[in-house]
Amino acid sequence: EVQLVESGGGLVQPGGSLRLSCAASGFALSDHYMDWARQAPGKGLEWVGRTRNKANSYTTEYAASVRGRFTISRDDSKSSLYLQMNSLKTEDTALYYCVRRVFVAFDIWGPGTMVTVSS
Amino acid sequence: QSALTQPPSASGSPGQSVTISCTGTSSDVGAYNYVSWYQQHPGKAPKLMISEVTKRPSGVPDRFSGSKSGNTASLTVSGLQAEDEADYYCSSYAGSNIFFVFGTGTKVTVL
């Protein structure tokens, strides 16, 4: 079964850091572009960023709202994707989803991991 | 980059059709045939329903269809069923600076 499972969420103070992980199974992570998206409580979806696959040099891109603070990385040998979040703000509070991308659509979503930024 | 505009709510009786609009700009929806639609039930992750404006992934009922005209894309759900009650979000590729933008979301109620 094709599956993504996020972990690492929790409560962090403003200005703090957190690292999210995403475990992929049922498919070859190395073949795919992978993205992160988020959803603030009771709000809509927001694209966070993406990493290309090995064939495209693992290049990354980010939404303007997180650029310079968040970093996406991956370890294909461990079938894992990561999101390093630094200088966290209260507005980063959201459910973070790991997402597999096929061309321009997000076809597989994990259940999400909740990040709460509060003092 | 602003979110794509969707109506907050839409409704229909079982068996009827409902159409949801998704309005963007000439830099996103209007520029590319790269609009996707996602269904999200409460407490669940989104599910891909339509990609590239009109393509249905395997397993998605053919009651779901997509279209686009200018800067506005649409999702039509025909033959409404109780399980179609959910939030629906559109998404569009928006070029190599913005990348992806989602819609504001529409809550579909089956009366």
Coordinates of all heavy atoms in Angstrom, one line a residue, chain A residues 21-106:
Chain A
S21 N 9.4 14.7 10.1 CA 9.8 13.6 9.3 C 8.6 13.0 8.6 O 7.5 13.2 9.1 CB 10.5 12.5 10.1 OG 11.7 13.0 10.8
C22 N 8.9 12.4 7.5 CA 7.8 11.7 6.7 C 8.4 10.4 6.2 O 9.4 10.4 5.5 CB 7.4 12.6 5.6 SG 6.3 11.8 4.4
A23 N 7.8 9.3 6.6 CA 8.2 8.0 6.2 C 7.3 7.6 5.0 O 6.1 7.5 5.1 CB 8.1 7.0 7.3
A24 N 7.9 7.2 3.9 CA 7.2 6.8 2.7 C 7.3 5.2 2.6 O 8.3 4.6 2.9 CB 7.8 7.4 1.5
S25 N 6.2 4.6 2.1 CA 6.3 3.2 1.9 C 5.4 2.8 0.7 O 4.4 3.6 0.4 CB 5.8 2.4 3.2 OG 4.5 2.8 3.5
G26 N 5.6 1.7 0.1 CA 4.8 1.2 -1.0 C 5.2 1.8 -2.4 O 4.5 1.5 -3.4
F27 N 6.2 2.7 -2.4 CA 6.7 3.2 -3.7 C 8.1 3.7 -3.5 O 8.6 3.8 -2.4 CB 5.8 4.4 -4.1 CG 5.9 5.6 -3.3 CD1 6.7 6.7 -3.7 CD2 5.2 5.7 -2.1 CE1 6.8 7.8 -3.0 CE2 5.3 6.9 -1.4 CZ 6.1 7.9 -1.8
A28 N 8.8 3.9 -4.6 CA 10.2 4.3 -4.6 C 10.2 5.9 -4.5 O 9.9 6.6 -5.4 CB 10.9 3.9 -5.9
L29 N 10.6 6.3 -3.2 CA 10.6 7.7 -3.0 C 11.5 8.4 -4.0 O 11.3 9.6 -4.4 CB 11.1 8.0 -1.6 CG 11.1 9.4 -1.1 CD1 9.7 10.0 -0.9 CD2 11.9 9.6 0.2
S30 N 12.6 7.8 -4.4 CA 13.6 8.4 -5.3 C 13.1 8.8 -6.6 O 13.7 9.6 -7.3 CB 14.8 7.4 -5.5 OG 14.3 6.2 -6.0
D31 N 12.0 8.2 -7.0 CA 11.4 8.6 -8.3 C 10.6 9.8 -8.3 O 10.2 10.4 -9.4 CB 10.5 7.4 -8.8 CG 11.2 6.2 -9.2 OD1 12.5 6.2 -9.4 OD2 10.6 5.1 -9.3
H32 N 10.3 10.4 -7.2 CA 9.2 11.4 -7.1 C 9.7 12.7 -6.5 O 10.6 12.8 -5.7 CB 8.1 10.9 -6.2 CG 7.3 9.8 -6.8 ND1 6.2 10.0 -7.6 CD2 7.5 8.5 -6.7 CE1 5.7 8.9 -8.0 NE2 6.5 7.9 -7.5
Y33 N 9.1 13.8 -7.0 CA 9.1 15.1 -6.4 C 8.3 14.9 -5.1 O 7.2 14.3 -5.1 CB 8.5 16.2 -7.2 CG 9.3 16.6 -8.4 CD1 10.3 15.9 -9.0 CD2 9.1 17.9 -9.0 CE1 11.0 16.3 -10.1 CE2 9.8 18.3 -10.1 CZ 10.7 17.5 -10.7 OH 11.4 18.0 -11.8
M34 N 8.7 15.5 -4.0 CA 7.9 15.5 -2.8 C 7.7 16.9 -2.2 O 8.6 17.7 -2.3 CB 8.6 14.6 -1.7 CG 8.7 13.2 -2.1 SD 7.2 12.3 -2.2 CE 6.6 12.4 -0.6
D35 N 6.5 17.1 -1.7 CA 6.1 18.5 -1.2 C 5.7 18.4 0.2 O 5.4 17.3 0.8 CB 5.0 19.0 -2.1 CG 5.4 19.3 -3.5 OD1 5.9 18.4 -4.2 OD2 5.2 20.5 -4.0
W36 N 5.7 19.6 0.8 CA 5.0 19.8 2.1 C 3.9 20.8 1.9 O 4.1 21.8 1.2 CB 6.0 20.3 3.2 CG 7.0 19.2 3.7 CD1 8.2 19.0 3.2 CD2 6.8 18.3 4.7 NE1 8.8 18.0 3.9 CE2 7.9 17.5 4.9 CE3 5.7 18.1 5.6 CZ2 8.1 16.5 5.8 CZ3 5.9 17.1 6.6 CH2 7.0 16.3 6.7
A37 N 2.8 20.6 2.6 CA 1.7 21.5 2.6 C 1.2 21.7 4.0 O 1.5 20.8 4.9 CB 0.5 21.1 1.7
R38 N 0.5 22.7 4.3 CA 0.0 22.9 5.7 C -1.4 23.4 5.7 O -1.9 24.0 4.7 CB 0.9 23.7 6.5 CG 1.0 25.2 6.1 CD 2.0 26.0 6.9 NE 2.1 27.4 6.5 CZ 3.0 28.2 7.0 NH1 3.9 27.8 7.9 NH2 3.0 29.5 6.6
Q39 N -2.1 23.3 6.9 CA -3.4 23.7 7.0 C -3.6 24.2 8.4 O -3.6 23.4 9.4 CB -4.4 22.6 6.7 CG -5.9 23.0 6.7 CD -6.8 21.9 6.1 OE1 -6.5 20.7 6.3 NE2 -7.8 22.3 5.4
A40 N -3.8 25.5 8.6 CA -4.0 26.1 9.9 C -5.4 25.7 10.4 O -6.3 25.4 9.6 CB -3.9 27.6 9.8
P41 N -5.6 25.6 11.7 CA -6.9 25.1 12.3 C -8.0 25.9 11.7 O -8.1 27.1 11.8 CB -6.7 25.4 13.8 CG -5.2 25.3 14.0 CD -4.6 25.9 12.8
G42 N -9.0 25.1 11.1 CA -10.2 25.7 10.5 C -10.0 26.5 9.3 O -10.9 27.2 8.8
K43 N -8.8 26.5 8.7 CA -8.5 27.2 7.5 C -8.2 26.4 6.3 O -8.3 25.1 6.4 CB -7.2 28.1 7.8 CG -7.4 29.1 9.0 CD -8.5 30.1 8.8 CE -8.5 31.1 9.9 NZ -9.6 32.1 9.7
G44 N -7.8 27.0 5.2 CA -7.6 26.3 4.0 C -6.1 25.7 3.9 O -5.3 25.9 4.8
L45 N -5.8 25.2 2.7 CA -4.5 24.6 2.5 C -3.5 25.6 2.0 O -3.9 26.6 1.3 CB -4.7 23.5 1.4 CG -5.6 22.3 1.8 CD1 -5.9 21.4 0.6 CD2 -4.9 21.4 2.9
E46 N -2.3 25.4 2.3 CA -1.2 26.3 1.9 C 0.0 25.4 1.4 O 0.4 24.6 2.2 CB -0.8 27.3 3.0 CG 0.3 28.2 2.5 CD 0.9 29.1 3.6 OE1 0.5 28.8 4.8 OE2 1.6 30.1 3.3
W47 N 0.5 25.6 0.3 CA 1.7 25.0 -0.2 C 2.9 25.5 0.5 O 3.0 26.8 0.6 CB 1.8 25.1 -1.7 CG 3.0 24.5 -2.3 CD1 3.2 23.1 -2.5 CD2 4.2 25.1 -2.7 NE1 4.4 22.9 -3.1 CE2 5.1 24.1 -3.2 CE3 4.7 26.4 -2.7 CZ2 6.4 24.4 -3.7 CZ3 6.0 26.7 -3.2 CH2 6.8 25.7 -3.7
V48 N 3.8 24.7 1.0 CA 5.0 25.1 1.8 C 6.2 25.0 1.0 O 7.0 26.0 0.9 CB 5.1 24.2 3.1 CG1 6.4 24.5 3.8 CG2 3.9 24.4 4.0
G49 N 6.4 23.9 0.3 CA 7.6 23.8 -0.5 C 7.8 22.4 -1.1 O 7.0 21.5 -0.9
R50 N 8.9 22.2 -1.9 CA 9.1 20.9 -2.5 C 10.5 20.7 -2.8 O 11.4 21.6 -2.9 CB 8.3 20.9 -3.8 CG 8.8 21.8 -4.9 CD 9.5 21.0 -6.1 NE 9.7 21.8 -7.2 CZ 10.8 22.5 -7.5 NH1 11.9 22.3 -6.7 NH2 11.0 23.2 -8.5
T51 N 10.8 19.4 -2.9 CA 12.1 18.9 -3.3 C 12.0 18.1 -4.6 O 11.1 17.2 -4.6 CB 12.9 18.1 -2.2 OG1 14.1 17.5 -2.8 CG2 12.0 17.0 -1.6
R52 N 12.8 18.3 -5.6 CA 12.8 17.5 -6.8 C 13.5 16.2 -6.4 O 14.1 16.0 -5.4 CB 13.5 18.2 -7.9 CG 12.8 19.4 -8.5 CD 13.4 19.8 -9.8 NE 12.6 20.8 -10.5 CZ 13.0 22.1 -10.6 NH1 14.0 22.6 -9.9 NH2 12.2 22.9 -11.3
N53 N 13.4 15.2 -7.4 CA 14.1 14.0 -7.2 C 15.5 14.0 -7.6 O 16.1 15.0 -8.0 CB 13.3 12.9 -8.0 CG 13.2 13.2 -9.4 OD1 13.9 14.1 -9.9 ND2 12.4 12.5 -10.2
K54 N 16.2 12.9 -7.4 CA 17.7 12.8 -7.7 C 18.0 13.2 -9.1 O 19.0 13.9 -9.4 CB 18.2 11.4 -7.4 CG 19.7 11.2 -7.6 CD 20.2 9.8 -7.3 CE 21.7 9.7 -7.5 NZ 22.2 8.3 -7.1
A55 N 17.1 12.7 -10.0 CA 17.4 13.0 -11.5 C 17.4 14.5 -11.7 O 17.9 14.9 -12.7 CB 16.3 12.3 -12.3
N56 N 16.8 15.3 -10.8 CA 16.7 16.7 -11.0 C 17.4 17.4 -9.8 O 17.1 18.5 -9.4 CB 15.3 17.2 -11.1 CG 14.6 16.8 -12.4 OD1 14.8 17.4 -13.4 ND2 13.9 15.6 -12.4
S57 N 18.5 16.7 -9.3 CA 19.4 17.3 -8.4 C 18.9 17.7 -7.0 O 19.5 18.5 -6.3 CB 20.1 18.5 -9.0 OG 20.7 18.2 -10.3
Y58 N 17.7 17.1 -6.7 CA 17.2 17.4 -5.4 C 16.9 18.9 -5.1 O 16.9 19.3 -3.9 CB 18.0 16.8 -4.2 CG 18.2 15.3 -4.2 CD1 19.5 14.7 -4.2 CD2 17.1 14.5 -4.3 CE1 19.6 13.3 -4.2 CE2 17.2 13.1 -4.2 CZ 18.5 12.5 -4.2 OH 18.7 11.2 -4.2
T59 N 16.8 19.7 -6.1 CA 16.6 21.1 -5.9 C 15.3 21.4 -5.1 O 14.3 20.6 -5.2 CB 16.6 21.9 -7.2 OG1 15.6 21.3 -8.1 CG2 17.9 21.9 -7.8
T60 N 15.3 22.5 -4.3 CA 14.2 22.8 -3.5 C 13.6 24.2 -3.8 O 14.4 25.0 -4.3 CB 14.6 22.8 -2.0 OG1 15.7 23.6 -1.8 CG2 14.9 21.4 -1.5
E61 N 12.4 24.4 -3.5 CA 11.7 25.6 -3.7 C 10.7 25.8 -2.5 O 10.2 24.8 -2.0 CB 11.0 25.7 -5.0 CG 11.8 25.6 -6.3 CD 12.8 26.7 -6.5 OE1 12.6 27.8 -5.8 OE2 13.7 26.6 -7.3
Y62 N 10.5 27.1 -2.1 CA 9.6 27.3 -1.0 C 8.6 28.5 -1.2 O 8.9 29.4 -2.1 CB 10.5 27.7 0.2 CG 11.6 26.7 0.5 CD1 12.8 26.7 0.0 CD2 11.2 25.6 1.4 CE1 13.8 25.7 0.3 CE2 12.2 24.6 1.7 CZ 13.4 24.7 1.2 OH 14.4 23.7 1.4
A63 N 7.6 28.4 -0.5 CA 6.6 29.5 -0.5 C 7.3 30.7 0.2 O 8.1 30.6 1.0 CB 5.4 29.1 0.3
A64 N 6.9 31.9 -0.3 CA 7.5 33.1 0.3 C 7.3 33.2 1.8 O 8.2 33.8 2.5 CB 6.8 34.3 -0.4
S65 N 6.2 32.7 2.3 CA 6.0 32.8 3.8 C 6.9 32.0 4.6 O 7.1 32.3 5.8 CB 4.5 32.3 4.1 OG 4.4 31.0 3.6
V66 N 7.7 31.1 4.0 CA 8.6 30.2 4.8 C 10.0 30.3 4.3 O 10.9 29.7 4.9 CB 8.1 28.8 4.9 CG1 6.7 28.7 5.4 CG2 8.3 28.1 3.5
R67 N 10.2 30.9 3.2 CA 11.5 31.0 2.6 C 12.6 31.6 3.5 O 12.3 32.6 4.1 CB 11.5 31.8 1.3 CG 12.6 31.6 0.3 CD 12.3 32.3 -1.0 NE 11.1 31.7 -1.7 CZ 10.3 32.4 -2.4 NH1 10.4 33.7 -2.6 NH2 9.3 31.7 -3.0
G68 N 13.7 30.9 3.6 CA 14.8 31.4 4.5 C 14.6 30.9 6.0 O 15.6 31.0 6.8
R69 N 13.5 30.3 6.3 CA 13.3 29.7 7.6 C 13.1 28.2 7.6 O 13.5 27.5 8.6 CB 12.0 30.4 8.3 CG 12.1 31.9 8.4 CD 10.9 32.4 9.2 NE 9.6 32.1 8.6 CZ 8.6 31.4 9.2 NH1 8.8 30.9 10.4 NH2 7.5 31.2 8.5
F70 N 12.5 27.7 6.5 CA 12.3 26.3 6.4 C 13.2 25.7 5.4 O 13.5 26.3 4.4 CB 10.8 26.0 6.0 CG 9.8 26.3 7.0 CD1 10.0 27.0 8.2 CD2 8.5 25.9 6.8 CE1 9.1 27.3 9.1 CE2 7.5 26.1 7.8 CZ 7.8 26.8 8.9
T71 N 13.6 24.4 5.7 CA 14.5 23.7 4.7 C 13.9 22.2 4.6 O 13.7 21.5 5.5 CB 15.9 23.6 5.3 OG1 16.4 24.9 5.5 CG2 16.8 22.9 4.3
I72 N 13.7 21.9 3.3 CA 13.3 20.5 3.0 C 14.5 19.7 2.6 O 15.4 20.1 1.8 CB 12.3 20.5 1.8 CG1 11.0 21.3 2.3 CG2 11.9 19.1 1.4 CD1 10.0 21.5 1.1
S73 N 14.6 18.5 3.1 CA 15.6 17.5 2.7 C 15.0 16.1 2.6 O 13.9 15.9 3.0 CB 16.8 17.5 3.7 OG 16.3 17.2 5.0
R74 N 15.8 15.2 2.1 CA 15.3 13.9 1.9 C 16.4 12.9 2.0 O 17.6 13.2 1.7 CB 14.6 13.7 0.6 CG 15.4 14.1 -0.6 CD 14.6 14.3 -1.9 NE 14.0 13.0 -2.4 CZ 13.0 13.0 -3.3 NH1 12.5 14.1 -3.8 NH2 12.5 11.8 -3.7
D75 N 16.1 11.7 2.4 CA 17.1 10.6 2.4 C 16.4 9.4 1.7 O 15.6 8.7 2.3 CB 17.5 10.2 3.8 CG 18.6 9.2 3.8 OD1 18.8 8.4 2.8 OD2 19.3 9.1 4.9
D76 N 16.6 9.3 0.4 CA 15.9 8.2 -0.4 C 16.3 6.8 0.1 O 15.5 5.9 0.0 CB 16.3 8.3 -1.9 CG 15.7 9.6 -2.5 OD1 14.8 10.2 -1.9 OD2 16.1 9.9 -3.6
S77 N 17.5 6.6 0.6 CA 17.9 5.3 1.2 C 17.1 4.9 2.4 O 17.0 3.7 2.7 CB 19.4 5.3 1.5 OG 19.6 6.2 2.6
K78 N 16.5 5.9 3.1 CA 15.7 5.6 4.2 C 14.2 5.9 3.9 O 13.3 5.8 4.8 CB 16.1 6.5 5.4 CG 17.5 6.2 5.9 CD 17.8 7.1 7.1 CE 19.2 6.7 7.7 NZ 19.6 7.6 8.9
S79 N 13.9 6.2 2.6 CA 12.5 6.5 2.2 C 11.9 7.5 3.1 O 10.8 7.4 3.6 CB 11.7 5.2 2.2 OG 12.1 4.3 1.3
S80 N 12.7 8.6 3.4 CA 12.2 9.6 4.3 C 12.4 11.0 3.7 O 13.4 11.3 3.0 CB 13.0 9.5 5.6 OG 12.7 8.3 6.3
L81 N 11.5 11.9 4.1 CA 11.5 13.3 3.8 C 11.5 14.1 5.1 O 10.9 13.6 6.1 CB 10.2 13.6 3.0 CG 10.0 15.0 2.5 CD1 11.0 15.4 1.3 CD2 8.5 15.2 2.0
Y82 N 12.1 15.2 5.0 CA 12.2 16.0 6.3 C 11.8 17.5 6.0 O 12.0 18.0 4.9 CB 13.6 16.0 6.8 CG 14.1 14.6 7.0 CD1 15.0 14.0 6.1 CD2 13.7 13.8 8.1 CE1 15.4 12.7 6.3 CE2 14.2 12.5 8.3 CZ 15.0 11.9 7.4 OH 15.5 10.7 7.6
L83 N 11.4 18.1 7.1 CA 11.1 19.6 7.0 C 11.7 20.2 8.3 O 11.2 20.0 9.4 CB 9.6 19.9 6.9 CG 9.2 21.4 6.9 CD1 9.8 22.0 5.6 CD2 7.7 21.6 7.0
Q84 N 12.8 20.9 8.1 CA 13.4 21.6 9.2 C 12.8 23.0 9.3 O 12.9 23.8 8.3 CB 14.9 21.7 9.0 CG 15.7 22.5 10.1 CD 15.6 21.8 11.5 OE1 15.8 20.6 11.6 NE2 15.4 22.6 12.5
M85 N 12.2 23.3 10.4 CA 11.6 24.6 10.6 C 12.3 25.4 11.7 O 12.3 25.0 12.8 CB 10.1 24.4 11.0 CG 9.3 23.5 10.0 SD 7.6 23.4 10.4 CE 7.7 22.5 11.9
N86 N 12.8 26.6 11.3 CA 13.5 27.5 12.2 C 12.8 28.8 12.4 O 11.9 29.1 11.5 CB 14.9 27.7 11.8 CG 15.8 26.5 11.7 OD1 15.6 25.5 12.4 ND2 16.7 26.4 10.8
S87 N 13.1 29.5 13.4 CA 12.5 30.9 13.6 C 11.0 30.8 13.5 O 10.4 31.6 12.8 CB 13.1 31.9 12.6 OG 14.5 32.0 12.7
L88 N 10.4 29.9 14.2 CA 9.0 29.6 14.1 C 8.2 30.8 14.6 O 8.5 31.4 15.6 CB 8.6 28.3 14.8 CG 8.9 27.1 13.9 CD1 8.9 25.8 14.8 CD2 7.9 26.9 12.8
K89 N 7.0 31.1 13.9 CA 6.1 32.1 14.3 C 4.8 31.5 14.7 O 4.4 30.4 14.3 CB 6.0 33.1 13.1 CG 7.3 33.7 12.5 CD 7.0 34.5 11.3 CE 8.3 35.0 10.7 NZ 8.0 35.8 9.5
T90 N 4.0 32.3 15.4 CA 2.6 31.8 15.8 C 1.8 31.5 14.5 O 1.0 30.5 14.6 CB 1.9 32.8 16.6 OG1 1.8 34.1 15.9 CG2 2.6 33.1 18.0
E91 N 2.0 32.2 13.4 CA 1.3 31.9 12.2 C 1.7 30.6 11.5 O 1.1 30.3 10.5 CB 1.3 33.1 11.3 CG 2.7 33.6 10.9 CD 3.1 34.8 11.8 OE1 2.8 34.8 13.0 OE2 3.7 35.7 11.2
D92 N 2.7 30.0 12.0 CA 3.2 28.7 11.4 C 2.4 27.5 12.1 O 2.5 26.4 11.6 CB 4.7 28.4 11.6 CG 5.5 29.4 10.9 OD1 5.2 29.7 9.7 OD2 6.5 29.9 11.4
T93 N 1.5 27.8 13.0 CA 0.7 26.8 13.7 C -0.2 26.2 12.6 O -1.0 26.9 12.0 CB -0.1 27.4 14.8 OG1 0.7 27.8 15.9 CG2 -1.1 26.4 15.3
A94 N -0.1 24.9 12.4 CA -0.9 24.2 11.4 C -0.7 22.7 11.5 O 0.3 22.2 12.1 CB -0.5 24.7 10.0
L95 N -1.5 22.0 10.7 CA -1.3 20.6 10.5 C -0.4 20.5 9.2 O -0.8 21.1 8.2 CB -2.6 19.9 10.3 CG -2.7 18.4 10.1 CD1 -2.2 17.7 11.4 CD2 -4.1 17.9 9.8
Y96 N 0.7 19.8 9.3 CA 1.6 19.8 8.2 C 1.5 18.4 7.5 O 1.6 17.4 8.2 CB 3.1 20.0 8.7 CG 3.4 21.4 9.0 CD1 2.8 22.1 10.1 CD2 4.1 22.2 8.1 CE1 3.1 23.4 10.4 CE2 4.4 23.5 8.4 CZ 3.8 24.1 9.5 OH 4.1 25.5 9.7
Y97 N 1.3 18.5 6.2 CA 1.2 17.3 5.4 C 2.4 17.1 4.5 O 2.9 18.0 3.9 CB 0.0 17.4 4.5 CG -1.4 17.5 5.1 CD1 -2.1 18.7 5.2 CD2 -2.0 16.3 5.6 CE1 -3.4 18.7 5.8 CE2 -3.3 16.3 6.2 CZ -3.9 17.6 6.3 OH -5.2 17.6 6.8
C98 N 2.8 15.8 4.5 CA 3.8 15.3 3.5 C 3.0 14.9 2.3 O 2.0 14.2 2.5 CB 4.6 14.2 4.1 SG 5.7 13.3 3.1
V99 N 3.4 15.3 1.1 CA 2.6 15.0 -0.1 C 3.5 14.5 -1.2 O 4.6 15.1 -1.5 CB 1.9 16.3 -0.5 CG1 0.9 16.0 -1.6 CG2 1.2 17.0 0.6
R100 N 3.1 13.5 -1.9 CA 3.7 13.0 -3.1 C 3.2 13.8 -4.3 O 2.0 14.0 -4.4 CB 3.6 11.5 -3.3 CG 4.4 11.0 -4.5 CD 4.2 9.5 -4.7 NE 3.0 9.1 -5.4 CZ 2.7 7.9 -5.9 NH1 3.5 6.9 -5.6 NH2 1.6 7.7 -6.6
R101 N 4.1 14.2 -5.2 CA 3.6 15.0 -6.4 C 3.8 14.1 -7.6 O 4.8 13.5 -7.8 CB 4.3 16.3 -6.5 CG 3.8 17.1 -7.7 CD 3.7 18.6 -7.4 NE 4.9 19.2 -7.0 CZ 5.8 19.7 -7.8 NH1 5.5 19.8 -9.1 NH2 6.9 20.3 -7.4
V102 N 2.8 14.2 -8.5 CA 2.9 13.6 -9.8 C 2.6 14.7 -10.8 O 1.5 15.1 -10.9 CB 1.9 12.4 -10.0 CG1 1.9 11.9 -11.4 CG2 2.2 11.3 -9.0
F103 N 3.6 15.1 -11.5 CA 3.6 16.3 -12.4 C 3.1 17.5 -11.6 O 3.8 18.0 -10.8 CB 2.7 16.0 -13.6 CG 2.8 17.0 -14.7 CD1 4.0 17.7 -14.9 CD2 1.7 17.4 -15.4 CE1 4.1 18.7 -15.9 CE2 1.8 18.4 -16.4 CZ 3.0 19.0 -16.7
V104 N 1.9 18.0 -11.8 CA 1.4 19.2 -11.1 C 0.3 18.9 -10.1 O -0.5 19.8 -9.7 CB 1.0 20.3 -12.1 CG1 2.2 20.8 -12.8 CG2 0.0 19.7 -13.1
A105 N 0.1 17.6 -9.7 CA -1.0 17.3 -8.8 C -0.4 16.5 -7.6 O 0.7 15.9 -7.7 CB -2.0 16.4 -9.5
F106 N -1.0 16.7 -6.5 CA -0.6 16.0 -5.2 C -1.5 14.8 -5.0 O -2.6 14.9 -4.6 CB -0.8 17.0 -4.1 CG -0.1 18.3 -4.3 CD1 -0.8 19.5 -4.5 CD2 1.3 18.4 -4.4 CE1 -0.2 20.7 -4.7 CE2 1.9 19.6 -4.6 CZ 1.1 20.8 -4.8

